[in-house]
Amino acid sequence: MEPSPELVAAEATGALGKPGVVVDLGCGLGSELGYLAGRGWHGIGVDLSVPALARARDRHPGVTFACADVTSLPVRAGSADLLLDRGCFHYLPAGSRGDYAEEAARVLRPGGRLLLRMCLTSAGVPNGLDVQTIRATFSAWQLASMTRTDLVSDTRSMPAILAILLN
């Protein structure tokens, strides 16, 4: 699998910063982390899906993956330069979003970045998330950019918000 077009675009504009430590939140099959590892990044992919993690390990030998909740990461405080969330945040229940933001702030170094993709639908139905969800959840963070976009796949188009937040 190829990395997402928005990850490649963020890298091309320098929005990721220089290679360092990355944590891929809800890494799934590990495509994004595998791509970044090949570009000089090192870190860990976390997901709750054991089958997805097994496939990620098979596809990306030498890359570290762990079964963990994004609100309780197996990562030392202040150790990450970049957090990557290409599809995890929008699945969290409203009551867990603050815990997510606190945990993200804990593991990021000062000035570290969160590259967030938040989908605005679930199974094609609006999920109630919007720009205000990001502003409220990350009110203590600096918002570097936020763009509404349509993610296109082989079968559909999905509205989303892409945000870069600084710790």
Side-chain angles (χ1 to χ4, degrees), residues 87-125:
C88 180
F89 179 79
H90 53 259
Y91 286 112
L92 294 173
S96 296
R97 292 183 198 133
D99 295 336
Y100 172 102
E102 286 177 19
E103 185 65 354
R106 182 189 72 79
V107 302
L108 274 176
R109 65 165 176 76
R113 300 163 190 205
L114 167 60
L115 184 61
L116 176 68
R117 176 177 69 192
M118 181 183 76
C119 295
L120 304 178
T121 61
S122 298
V125 177

